[in-house]
Every structure is written in structure tokens, then in C-alpha cells.
Amino acid sequence: MVFSNLFFLYVFLPLLFAAYFIIKNDAYRRGVLVAFSLLFYAWGEPVCVFLMIGLVAADYLFGRLIGATRVQSVRKLWLTLAIVSNLGVLGFYKYLGFIIETLNAVFNVSIPMVNVTMPIGISFFTFQTMSYVIDVYREDAEVQKSFFRLLLYVSFFPQLIAGPIVRYKDIEAQLDSRSVSVSEFNEGLFRFARGLAKKALIADSCATVISSLYALTDVTLLSRWAGAVFFTLQLYFDFSGYSDMAIGLGRMFGFRFLENFDYPLISTSATEFWRRWHMSLGTFFRDYVYIPLGGNRHDQQRNILVVWFLTGLWHGAAWNFILWGLYYAFLLMFEKRVLLGWFKRIPKLAADIIGHIYTVFITVFGFAIFYFDKGLLKNLGYLFGIGTAYGTDIFTESILLDNILLLAAAVFFAIPVIPKLWERVKDRIPYTAERILKTAVVVVLIGAATVRLVGNSYSPFLYFRF
Amino acid sequence: MKNKIVDIVCLCLVGAVFGGTALWNLVQPNRPTVSETEKRKLAAMPELTVSSLTDGSYFAGVSAFISDTFVARDRLVGLSRRMDTLKGFDYALDGADNFVVLNPSGEQKSGDNTGTTPEDEEHAAAIDAVFDALFNGGNTASGQDERENDGPENVPTDDQNDDQNDSQNDEASNGQNDVEITPPGPDTAEGEDRAETEAPETDPAPDAAETTAPEPPAETEASAGAVPDPGDVLAGLDRGDGEDAADSAGSEPEDGGETYRALSLKLSKQKLNLTVGTGTVLYAYAESTDPNGAVVHWANSDKNVATISINPNGGIDVKAVGPGTAKLTCTIDNFKAECEVKVSELTLGVDFTPPDNDENLNADFLPDGLFIYGDAVYTQAFYSPVNANWYAKTAAYYAKLFGCRVSTVVAPVSSMVIDNPNVKAKVSDQGDILQKMRDLCDASVNFVDTYTPLYEHRDEYLFFRTDHHWTQRGAYYAYTAFAESVGLTPTPLSFFEFKVHQEEYHGSMDLYTNDTRVQSFKDSVEAFYPTKQNTMTLTDKNGKTWQYSSCINNNSGYLCFIGGDHPYTVINVPDNPQDKNILVLKDSFGNAFVPYLCEHYGNIIVVDVRWTNMNVYEQLKDYGLTDIVFINNIQAANSYAWSKMYMAAVGEKLP
């Protein structure tokens, strides 16, 4: 199931709220959350839900085993086994086809293709289960004695299928009991409404523009750049919208998830971009790969290369994703060695302006790599005018003019204008007015999103692939 | 405390709105099972079985059930479509056509108003008065007086253009004076026999035919000194059979002790486009020193594509047997001429099921005269004698003003294809309307009968199901009628390069009717590319010009034809005579029609008077127009606004 779905919004969620808030007992509430979460997952994966439960059971066992001994080598053995089994599941379901395809192509052999369909959200929940075992191993967190609590951590529906990737240690305490005030519930609802609007109103509309731009048979330079810009916006609004919804839903049940996006499109360097884009993935790789490898202390370049190779690969089993990861690895190294130092020597305003232009360009170009899993070279060539028929034509311009307000709105909301304004006036506005205003926004946004969802029944989440 | 109350009140409010919707959704007292507007069964609650549960179809079915039966779904879908318009500004590649069937004078459908009312006559008199004033000088535009001598009959003669794709018509132009007629020879079979024996020696081609005996020996060329009167000979046509030619060729050296040689060789066609099963005659024109005519040799590169045989009346018969390309080579002495034969399968097209004419079916009428029948939405026409008269007079005025041939191509709209008597009884008869419109035209205007060929082909995909336009196939039949009416030979449909331009297309009616049934109908866009290279220069509403390598372009849907509606477009076809120029004045129905004009005209100037204030007459009076054609849909041709715009485009203001 996805959040931008009428069944979710108007059947699943109301029933869950009713069941959850009628019950007062913490244990029963956990039961309700787990039951609904499993139903949520089963909605899209009626069989693989058992795979997920099995994986949680395995990691629960590994956690207990690690906790049962103080002998370092034994602990390490269990950890290794846990990581191998998690990555094994991920590798089998997500990368097997890709590996076979690559082997066949490189060594000119013909290993038969295996048809495995990737369970939804496997990239997210395998990372969460690994996070639990590693945290226990590192003694950053206690061993979880209750299987149900661990199952709740992994399967909790808001973050189950498209993140954010919640580290176990961040949420450990909240698995026991939480309290939600009405005001917090309202804030959660507001956050959810924002996310839903980002997805249903902006991201889905951008998707239609992209398909009409790429449907033009005369390729023009402008249409290709416009397509890349709209894709960047779509990806941002789609994914950050999903994260907003997850954070909002979590909050309504008393969970505090860490932020996942912080207006990445206003970054002034690729380094900053990765501090603002999909932060939970970045943190995961930083804590569990980059720092253990040596971080900034030794072999930094190798570490960057490894982490961004993995980041690319995590996004999908295709070469363009790997290329995209490596593209960022090289940009980050270039920035560390040259650009950031140079920025410090020139006036701040100039550095900011150049930085913004540079970052927007590399981000849009990067997502062009990200977009084309087929015909990558040809399509990147178009961005440099290689193989384009015209610079621009009337059809490109008509599509752009038809969507110019959408573009303006998307750019406006991708920049933190409203949050900045809100910071200024917030303290001067009485709480009552604030609450009424936010409530009005909630009603309008969810209402408008509902209209759109009824209007176009088809709107899958992009991050499903990952 | 106060804050908490505010919080609770606000939460209750949101809960009431969305919780209420959710509750209403779940317990809808009479949940629809059938959609009234969509005329279909809505998704029902799926059956729970082990297999539906494990393959995910049960859950998917529940989701579909909920969204299919969402409260006020139809209205929300409509609202969502309105929201789409907020995304930007309409560039209006496609003009706002009047597919909304206006009922111009407030009468009921044309079926009822067959007679002319006194008011009509009054109007007609008024129209006549206006145009009389225009025709007879008065406050005319500059330069009009000189033209006045040209009577309306002064229509240019039909051009003698020998259309390249035409096959049989050439006989007319073959009546050259210096043709030598020799009696036809024995029969073709013998010619073919000979062809086989000669083939290995002269040409390795798989299928070779020779129309005559061995060619004159090479050394004859040297001695060919003074030969009296080299005849321009239609080899094969008039010398015809091999036997005769062989005799003469063989005897001549003996006669005069002289040898003959060829001086030139030309074929009647360099290219032939045929469809499987059809055939044509190809002629060779050879000039020779032989006063009795020359003998040529034919070779064929692929007999699986086309076969050749001697035509007893001259030339060779070319028969298309399979798709592909074959090269026919004609040789005489050192001269060689080639003809490329392209053979295509019968005309391609997307799958199309003509409307079901079951008498139990009925049409569902929507506002604006539209109706839904089967899997398509139809538009119909209303006749306005007054406005049709304006239109006829306007065309006549153009004929007089420009002094060239003026044609009107009035496009019928989709309701014409329905044969179901139930429906027919309720919609206007467009054949009848067009006949009346024709009667209003005077002799100076060539009113093209579009109805007959379209009606004949009404089982084909002539009109979109979700758009008010005709398809390019529909426009094709109007083109054939137009071409024939002006003495041109229409290019067969199968000669065009066919492409499915867009597999799935949802046209104007989709948004316009905002009816979920229409939104479920599907269209494809077929495109027939001109057989000749052409370039298009269009000027958009901002005055910017754009160059295109073809008049059928890349834009989505119907907009692929000449790029939609633009003020001013010029299409140049280098292979056509550059002094054959046509001005097209059109609404968007003309867009699909214009590409066919590339078959005949060197320059095609397309003006959409809705989008320009230019004075067409001032701009084009010295252009050397051979033709002007008005292309409007039947409804536009019955609306006064169009006549008014057309007259304004030549600087005349109608009341």
C-alpha cells in the first residue's frame, strides 16, 4: 500500500486511529500497530511479508546471541553471520538478475536468468535490521528481548517501504511507550498533509510534464534540460513528500523520526547537498561504512569511493546508478581538494552565487544520469546538443508554457521561503491563530490531494524501486 | 488550557471533515454498482480466495473498489481536470475550434428547417446587397478595380501537370507528333521467350525481358555519320513488339549499308510506387538514328517484387507482386535509364471497428449537440442558410479578387458515419446540408463534394472517437475529391509512408465533455507522410518563425499535422513546379488535409485567419497563386464569424 492511495487515506488510517486511540494499554497498542503494519505491507506483498518477519526473527536471534556472550570473537562471528544473511537476502532479491546479466555480458557466458521479483521496501528494511544488530554489537543499544518490539521497529508502516531509514539506537526508547499530546498529533497531521500535497499535487504533475517532454520525437536541447529539471523536482517532491508523510504519521503515534531532507536544492556544493538530501541514508553509510573504514583519518579517498559506489548501487541494480554514485564520489573529492578551499578565498557572496549555480547544474545533470537506465550515453549527449534536432521548438515551448506555473510553484516550494517567513512571524502570532491557520492548510491540502488522487488513480511512488 | 481546547477543536474539525468522508465512504447507503455516466459496472468487492490473496489481486481489488466507488467520484474527477489548467498558460497550438455545435439562428436542428423562411430570404437579399456593393466597386480595397474586368468565370485552366504517381493517365500526354506508328507485332509471349534467352548474356538480373533483337554492334557508332532526321521514338510503345523491331534492326544495315545508334534514352517514370496486386505501364523514350525506331533492353533486379512483360500496345507492363524495391533498367547501346519500383502492402492502419449499427443501441445526447454512441463521442452539424450564404459569397468574392481558382472543402463531422436509423433520425443529415451549401455557391467557386467519398468509406477510421477532428485518413478522402475536382490525380493512400504517430490519444472531447465515458474511449493518431520532401516554415502567434523538415511533425496527437494552428505557415516542396502555389484558408480541420497538397503544389501557404490580422490580399496578390482553397468543418462554414474573418483578411468589413 502507498500513502497516496484512497484506501489508505479513507479506510486504513481512520480504522487504525480508531483502534489505536480507543485502546490505552501500551502492549495492546503495539499489537495494533504491528497488526496494521503487517497488513499494510501484505497489501502489496502478501507473500513476502513472511520473508520480512523471518528476517526480523533471524536478526532478533542474532541480537540475543550477541548479547549472550562477552567473548569478542564469538560476538563478531554472530555479527558477521547476521550481516551476511541480511545482505544475502538483499543481494538475492535485488541484485541477482543484475549480477547474472553483467557476468553474461562480461565473460560471454550464458547463466540462465532467475526471475525474482523484488519485495517492496527491501532496501529499507534490510538496512534497519542490520542497524539493530550492529548497534547491539557496538553496545550502542540494548539487546531487544521482545520480538514484537523489534518487529514493530522494522515493520512500522510509515517508514517501512520508503524510509527514512531509522537507526535502532535513535528509536529504541520509543518502542516501549510513547505519549502523544493533541497538539503534537496536530503537528503530525500538518506534516503529513504537507507531504501528501508534495506528492499528489507537485511530484505527480511533474511526472506528466516529463513524459510529454520525452515523448517529443524531435529532440531539442531545451526539452532535454527541461526534462532533467522537472525530474529533479519530481524526485525531490516525491521522496521528501514521502518522508514528510512518514515523519508526520510517526509523530501522530508518538515516534520521533529524524529529518530526512533539508531543502537540498539550495545547497552550494555537492558536499552540502549530501548533508541535506536523503540524510538517513547518508547517516547510515557514514556510521556503518565510512567511519569504520577510517573516515577522514586515513584512506579518505578510498572511503569516499566505496561509500558512494555503495550509495549508487543501493539506488538500483543498474549501471547508471553506480555511475551516478561514482559521479558524486569524484565531485566530493574535487570539492575537498580544490573547490571548497577556493570558495573560502573569494568573497562570500560570490562564492554563494557560484556555488548555487554550480550545485544546481551538477544536481540536475546528476539526476539525468539517474533517470536513464537505458540509452544513457545518447541521452546525456542530448544535454550537450549532440544529436538534438533543434535548440528549441514550438512544441517544447508550448509544453513549458503550459506548465510554467507548476514549475514556478515547484521551485518556490523547493526553496525555504515559507519556513524563513514563518520564523519571523511565528512568535508574534497567537497560538490560536497559528493552529487555525494550520488546520485550514491541512483541510485544503488533503482535500486537493484527494481530488487529484481520484482524478488520476495511477501514482506510484518513485522510491519503490530502491 | 486554552491552547489545548483550540487543539482539540481543530482536531475535531479535521476529524469531522475527513473522518466524515471516510465514514460516508464506507457505509454509503446505496453504494453504486454501476456508473451512470460511465455506463459500466464499477469494481465490486473482490472474492476472497487463497489464490487471490497470495497473488495480491484481492488487496488490489479492494483498493480499486474503494477508489471506484469513492463518494462523488465523477465530480472530483472533473475538479481534478479543472486543476490541470492551473499548471500554466495555454499556448494554444490548437485553436479553439467551434466544435461546440452552435445553433446559429436559434432554430432547431437542420432536419426540421429544410424550407427557407421569409427571414432567410430577407437575409439573403441583405447578403446579396453587401456583396453587390463589393463586386461593383464602391468602397473597395485598392487595386480592386483593375481586377474587375476578370469575370468570375475567369478561372485558370486545369493544369496539365502529369502527376508522378499517376499510372494510367499518361496516355493523354503521349500524343506526341513525331511518334512512328508501326503495326503491333505477334504477341507478348514471344517477346518473353526471347527475353529469357537473351537474359544471361546481357544482364545477370533474375528477370529480364528484352523488347527486341540484339543491339546494334558497337562498331556501328563510329560509322554513324549523317543520318537524316533522327526520330524520337517511343521504343516499345509504338515499335512495340520485339519481332518487328528485331527485323528492322537486322535489315537496316543491309539496306543502306549503314548502322544506327541511339542518341538518348528516357523513361516515363523514374520512380513507381505500387501496392501489391496493382500494375502499371512504363515507357521508354529513345532517340535513335534509326528512322524506324530503336530497340531497348529491359532488366529487372527483383522479380519477387515486380514482374515485367511486354505490353502489346507498347511499353512494358509492370506488375507488383510483393513488398520491396526493384530496379528496372532499360538500356540501349551505351544509354541506360532506371526506374525504381517501390511496392508496399495494402494500406496500413490501426485496428478500427466501425460503429455498431444495431437498432437496439441508442445515442446519449450531451449538451452542445454532442452525443455518445458506442465507444465514441460524435459531433453533428446544424445548417444555417443565412450563414452558409455568407460563406458561399465570401468564397466567390475571393475568386473575383484574386482571379484564380477558388475551392471550398467543407469537412463533414463525425455523426455522418452512423447508419443506425434510431440515431440518424435524431441527428442532422450532413449530405443534405452540404448539398444545400453547394446550391448556394455560384459557378466561380469549386465546391468540392467531400461527402460522397467519406460516406463511401464510413467503415474506416475517418474521425477520432475522442476528438472533434477528422483523422488524416478522413482528410484523405476529402483530398481525393478535391484533387479530382481540379484535374489532379490523387496519390493512392498506400503510396504514403504510413506511421502510427501516437498509439494512445485522448482528444479535445476528453476535457471538453468532462465525461468519464469519453475519458475511457481510446484513439490512435495515424499519419500519412507526403511522398515528397518538403520543408515547413511556420510563424507563431508571437511572430517567431520556426523551421521544420516536414509538415508532419512530432507534436502529440492531432497537433502533429502542420504543427497545429498558427497564423502563417509556408510549405515548400522543391520537387514540384515552383509556380504552382496554393493558398489554404482553414480551421484546424485543414491541418490534416494540408500534407496531401505536397503531392502537387510547389508552395503551400496556410493562413489561419483567427490568429492574424494580416491582409491576405495585400500580402499575396503578386505571389502567383494558382489556387485558393477554403477548408472548414461544416459547422465553421455555417457560422457567420468565419465569413466575417475571411472578409476582414482581405480588408473588407462585413456588417
Side-chain angles (χ1 to χ4, degrees):
Chain A
M1 206 186 304
V2 291
F3 299 155
S4 59
N5 172 301
L6 295 169
F7 180 83
F8 175 81
L9 293 174
Y10 288 96
V11 181
F12 182 90
L13 214 49
L15 289 179
L16 173 59
F17 282 138
Y20 186 85
F21 288 104
I22 287 167
I23 296 167
K24 294 286 173 213
N25 177 304
D26 274 334
Y28 290 157
R29 280 186 164 187
R30 262 198 304 281
V32 168
L33 283 183
V34 168
F36 272 85
S37 293
L38 293 180
L39 178 69
F40 181 88
Y41 192 68
W43 211 261
E45 299 288 352
V47 179
C48 285
V49 66
F50 297 104
L51 173 79
M52 184 186 71
I53 297 172
L55 200 64
V56 174
D59 285 293
Y60 170 76
L61 209 64
F62 285 122
R64 293 296 294 262
L65 288 168
I66 291 170
T69 171
R70 304 293 319 158
V71 185
Q72 195 54 27
S73 59
V74 178
R75 287 165 64 88
K76 199 158 195 163
L77 176 72
W78 294 130
L79 174 72
T80 314
L81 275 177
I83 288 178
V84 165
S85 55
N86 278 297
L87 289 181
V89 168
L90 183 62
F92 177 78
Y93 283 101
K94 188 170 176 179
Y95 296 106
L96 191 61
F98 175 63
I99 292 169
I100 291 175
E101 210 170 82
T102 309
L103 287 179
N104 283 349
V106 173
F107 299 107
N108 203 17
V109 288
S110 50
I111 305 165
M113 276 307 273
V114 191
N115 264 331
V116 277
T117 38
M118 194 178 92
I120 295 166
I122 192 166
S123 313
F124 290 92
F125 68 71
T126 48
F127 271 41
Q128 297 213 157
T129 49
M130 275 195 286
S131 141
Y132 163 68
V133 190
I134 299 171
D135 284 351
V136 169
Y137 172 79
R138 289 180 177 174
E139 302 187 347
D140 285 338
E142 295 284 309
V143 176
Q144 181 55 267
K145 298 259 163 44
S146 151
F147 173 68
F148 263 99
R149 283 175 208 198
L150 192 65
L151 188 57
L152 176 62
Y153 158 67
V154 176
S155 72
F156 187 43
F157 74 92
Q159 38 80 23
L160 172 62
I161 59 174
I165 298 166
V166 181
R167 282 171 310 171
Y168 182 73
K169 62 184 172 198
D170 292 336
I171 209 175
E172 190 185 2
Q174 300 167 29
L175 293 170
D176 282 336
S177 74
R178 302 155 307 277
S179 63
V180 195
S181 71
V182 181
S183 133
E184 252 185 290
F185 189 92
N186 274 332
E187 281 300 317
L189 195 62
F190 179 67
R191 189 69 189 268
F192 177 81
R194 269 174 59 189
L196 185 64
K198 275 181 171 178
K199 162 72 182 160
L201 301 184
I202 300 182
D204 286 354
S205 304
C206 287
T208 12
V209 184
I210 294 165
S211 52
S212 49
L213 280 170
Y214 288 154
L216 293 176
T217 47
D218 266 4
V219 177
T220 64
L221 192 65
L222 182 65
S223 71
R224 289 304 166 137
W225 276 106
V229 167
F230 271 104
F231 181 63
T232 304
L233 291 168
Q234 184 200 354
L235 206 55
Y236 167 68
F237 281 102
D238 193 282
F239 196 14
S240 77
Y242 197 96
S243 292
D244 282 340
M245 286 187 270
I247 291 168
L249 284 167
R251 236 176 139 174
M252 287 188 255
F253 296 101
F255 285 94
R256 292 300 202 125
F257 297 147
L258 295 181
E259 286 298 325
N260 208 15
F261 286 88
D262 183 19
Y263 294 95
L265 300 179
I266 60 158
S267 308
T268 55
S269 65
T271 314
E272 188 186 350
F273 175 82
W274 276 103
R275 283 200 298 266
R276 292 169 172 272
W277 173 276
H278 203 176
M279 291 143 82
S280 65
L281 182 73
T283 319
F284 185 94
F285 275 120
R286 188 194 66 205
D287 287 0
Y288 299 124
V289 182
Y290 186 69
I291 291 174
L293 279 175
N296 301 338
R297 293 190 311 279
H298 60 85
D299 297 319
Q300 192 191 11
Q301 299 203 1
R302 180 204 65 185
N303 301 344
I304 289 179
L305 215 54
V306 169
V307 165
W308 262 270
F309 173 82
L310 291 177
T311 303
L313 186 64
W314 179 86
H315 278 84
W319 283 105
N320 66 311
F321 294 117
I322 296 173
L323 196 69
W324 178 73
L326 295 177
Y327 163 83
Y328 270 105
F330 285 111
L331 283 175
L332 293 175
M333 285 190 243
F334 164 71
E335 288 181 0
K336 283 199 180 11
R337 293 193 148 201
V338 185
L339 198 69
L340 297 182
W342 184 70
F343 276 171
K344 283 200 185 96
R345 288 197 297 276
I346 61 171
K348 188 167 182 314
L349 185 68
D352 275 356
I353 291 172
I354 297 170
H356 279 303
I357 294 170
Y358 154 78
T359 312
V360 165
F361 176 78
I362 57 164
T363 308
V364 169
F365 186 76
F367 283 131
I369 303 175
F370 191 96
Y371 184 83
F372 292 106
D373 49 359
K374 295 211 173 59
L376 180 65
L377 272 186
K378 193 180 72 186
N379 281 297
L380 292 184
Y382 291 149
L383 292 175
F384 296 106
I386 303 163
T388 52
Y390 313 101
T392 168
D393 67 1
I394 195 166
F395 309 115
T396 310
E397 292 190 6
S398 89
I399 293 174
L400 290 183
L401 197 66
D402 279 349
N403 292 286
I404 195 84
L405 295 179
L406 171 68
L407 181 67
V411 170
F412 178 79
F413 289 112
I415 300 170
V417 181
I418 294 177
K420 286 266 153 63
L421 285 177
W422 184 246
E423 279 304 311
R424 291 200 179 174
V425 294
K426 198 171 123 188
D427 298 331
R428 274 176 275 162
I429 291 181
Y431 183 78
T432 312
E434 178 187 337
R435 181 49 54 212
I436 289 171
L437 184 69
K438 283 187 170 173
T439 304
V441 170
V442 166
V443 172
V444 169
L445 290 185
I446 299 183
T450 304
V451 169
R452 296 302 275 176
L453 292 179
V454 176
N456 37 314
S457 40
Y458 182 75
S459 73
F461 276 104
L462 278 189
Y463 259 66
F464 258 18
R465 301 169 59 177
F466 309 124
Chain B
M1 191 59 213
K2 184 190 157 212
N3 288 355
K4 194 159 186 190
I5 292 170
V6 172
D7 276 329
I8 290 171
V9 169
C10 285
L11 182 59
C12 288
L13 201 75
V14 176
V17 172
F18 296 110
T21 314
L23 201 64
W24 183 14
N25 234 337
L26 279 181
V27 298
Q28 280 179 66
N30 33 17
R31 183 184 286 277
T33 53
V34 172
S35 161
E36 283 299 313
T37 53
E38 283 172 276
K39 296 265 189 293
R40 69 173 174 96
K41 267 175 98 170
L42 293 168
M45 195 65 184
E47 203 178 320
L48 181 62
T49 62
V50 176
S51 72
S52 76
L53 197 63
T54 50
D55 67 10
S57 63
Y58 178 75
F59 292 133
V62 175
S63 291
F65 169 68
I66 293 295
S67 71
D68 238 12
T69 56
F70 201 83
V71 279
R73 177 163 180 269
D74 289 349
R75 246 179 248 175
L76 294 180
V77 168
L79 206 55
S80 169
R81 276 165 183 267
R82 297 264 177 270
M83 282 169 79
D84 275 331
T85 58
L86 298 176
K87 290 196 283 195
F89 308 102
D90 192 2
Y91 195 94
L93 278 176
D94 193 5
D97 272 335
N98 32 3
F99 58 78
V100 182
V101 181
L102 304 166
N103 197 347
S105 36
E107 304 121 320
Q108 260 317 300
K109 284 182 233 121
S110 71
D112 308 333
N113 60 4
T114 36
T116 359
T117 61
E119 286 96 329
D120 289 345
E121 274 161 21
E122 236 170 74
H123 279 297
I127 294 165
D128 287 345
V130 170
F131 277 94
D132 281 348
L134 287 174
F135 280 133
N136 303 325
N139 56 342
T140 50
S142 62
Q144 201 173 309
D145 296 55
E146 299 98 87
R147 280 185 318 281
E148 220 156 301
N149 330 350
D150 306 349
E153 294 82 10
N154 195 352
V155 171
T157 53
D158 281 3
D159 17 25
Q160 290 293 338
N161 122 301
D162 60 331
D163 180 54
Q164 299 200 8
N165 294 308
D166 160 32
S167 47
Q168 310 295 350
N169 253 29
D170 278 2
E171 268 141 321
S173 57
N174 279 337
Q176 277 123 328
N177 308 330
D178 46 359
V179 163
E180 291 182 36
I181 308 292
T182 47
D187 63 55
T188 359
E190 201 173 332
E192 276 178 329
D193 285 346
R194 191 190 305 277
E196 271 167 44
T197 55
E198 303 281 345
E201 174 197 332
T202 48
D203 200 304
D207 179 19
E210 190 151 9
T211 49
T212 181
E215 293 149 61
E219 59 266 30
T220 55
E221 281 177 43
S223 62
V227 177
D229 180 33
D232 188 356
V233 180
L234 291 176
L237 168 64
D238 300 298
R239 304 230 43 100
D241 69 287
E243 195 69 39
D244 187 31
D247 280 352
S248 56
S251 62
E252 273 150 20
E254 287 164 37
D255 285 351
E258 246 181 314
T259 49
Y260 303 110
R261 63 189 177 91
L263 299 171
S264 74
L265 177 66
K266 243 174 80 186
L267 296 182
S268 59
K269 301 275 170 60
Q270 277 78 52
K271 271 185 184 167
L272 283 174
N273 283 313
L274 300 173
T275 41
V276 175
T278 62
T280 184
V281 186
L282 185 65
Y283 302 103
Y285 301 90
E287 212 180 4
S288 167
T289 55
D290 181 351
N292 296 317
V295 234
V296 294
H297 172 86
W298 289 96
N300 176 7
S301 72
D302 192 345
K303 61 179 171 188
N304 295 323
V305 173
T307 57
I308 56 174
S309 59
I310 295 162
N311 183 309
N313 298 318
I316 54 165
D317 281 325
V318 182
K319 283 243 151 27
V321 290
T325 310
K327 196 166 267 175
L328 304 181
T329 314
C330 177
T331 46
I332 177 168
D333 295 2
N334 290 330
F335 293 97
K336 192 169 141 193
E338 287 179 340
C339 173
E340 196 185 80
V341 184
K342 256 171 101 172
V343 177
S344 50
E345 292 280 16
L346 280 165
T347 309
L348 299 159
V350 297
D351 285 343
F352 176 73
T353 326
D356 187 349
N357 287 317
D358 184 347
E359 291 191 18
N360 296 322
L361 294 174
N362 244 316
D364 181 17
F365 283 85
L366 307 173
D368 302 325
L370 309 175
F371 62 93
I372 291 176
Y373 178 74
D375 63 349
V377 59
Y378 292 86
T379 53
Q380 54 166 324
F382 292 100
Y383 177 54
S384 157
V386 178
N387 295 340
N389 197 5
W390 281 115
Y391 193 74
K393 290 289 193 302
T394 301
Y397 185 71
Y398 268 72
K400 188 169 161 60
L401 188 62
F402 283 88
C404 68
R405 178 171 52 208
V406 170
S407 310
T408 51
V409 174
V410 177
V413 290
S414 50
S415 66
M416 71 169 288
V417 304
I418 296 177
D419 274 342
N420 183 339
N422 290 338
V423 181
K424 266 189 134 163
K426 288 179 196 151
V427 303
S428 53
D429 179 351
Q430 294 184 52
D432 180 51
I433 296 176
L434 287 166
Q435 187 53 49
K436 285 181 188 143
M437 292 185 71
R438 163 174 241 155
D439 293 344
L440 287 168
C441 276
D442 68 41
S444 68
V445 175
N446 168 31
F447 188 93
V448 179
D449 174 19
T450 52
Y451 188 81
T452 311
L454 272 130
Y455 189 72
E456 248 170 55
H457 293 273
R458 64 188 181 284
D459 279 355
E460 297 173 24
Y461 191 14
L462 303 184
F463 296 93
F464 291 108
R465 299 180 182 96
T466 64
D467 195 288
H468 62 291
H469 294 111
W470 54 12
T471 61
Q472 209 196 353
R473 190 185 292 269
Y476 174 76
Y477 293 111
Y479 150 73
T480 58
F482 165 74
E484 277 158 13
S485 75
V486 296
L488 299 169
T489 311
T491 303
L493 192 57
S494 58
F495 287 10
F496 295 97
E497 190 197 334
F498 172 82
K499 270 188 201 160
V500 179
H501 173 71
Q502 193 171 326
E503 285 280 356
E504 195 170 322
Y505 170 56
H506 296 274
S508 57
M509 289 301 171
D510 215 355
L511 193 62
Y512 183 76
T513 58
N514 192 17
D515 185 306
T516 40
R517 276 172 296 175
V518 179
Q519 285 147 15
S520 72
F521 301 156
K522 284 190 179 65
D523 269 314
S524 300
V525 181
E526 298 180 324
F528 297 90
Y529 286 72
T531 63
K532 295 177 183 175
Q533 282 294 315
N534 62 89
T535 54
M536 175 170 79
T537 310
L538 67 81
T539 307
D540 72 10
K541 284 146 206 155
N542 306 324
K544 258 163 110 177
T545 58
W546 307 81
Q547 283 277 350
Y548 291 94
S549 53
S550 170
C551 61
I552 297 188
N553 224 295
N554 55 37
N555 206 33
S556 70
Y558 189 78
L559 298 179
C560 71
F561 306 115
I562 67 168
D565 290 331
H566 300 285
Y568 190 74
T569 306
V570 179
I571 298 163
N572 178 260
V573 189
D575 289 350
N576 285 338
Q578 292 302 300
D579 55 354
K580 286 202 71 182
N581 304 319
I582 186 167
L583 167 65
V584 180
L585 296 155
K586 54 104 212 165
D587 61 22
S588 60
F589 278 66
N591 300 2
F593 183 95
V594 167
Y596 296 118
L597 297 174
C598 295
E599 301 301 306
H600 311 283
Y601 292 89
N603 292 290
I604 301 151
I605 300 142
V606 185
V607 176
D608 193 322
V609 291
R610 287 169 293 181
W611 303 107
T612 176
N613 294 322
M614 79 175 195
N615 187 316
V616 177
Y617 178 67
E618 290 302 324
Q619 292 287 321
L620 297 171
K621 61 180 175 190
D622 301 323
Y623 197 93
L625 293 173
T626 48
D627 273 280
I628 294 176
V629 58
F630 289 86
I631 308 172
N632 283 99
N633 73 70
I634 188 165
Q635 205 49 49
N638 273 292
S639 80
Y640 175 60
W642 276 91
S643 302
K644 200 169 170 175
M645 283 187 285
Y646 283 141
M647 290 308 289
V650 288
E652 297 298 348
K653 201 171 174 310
L654 289 190

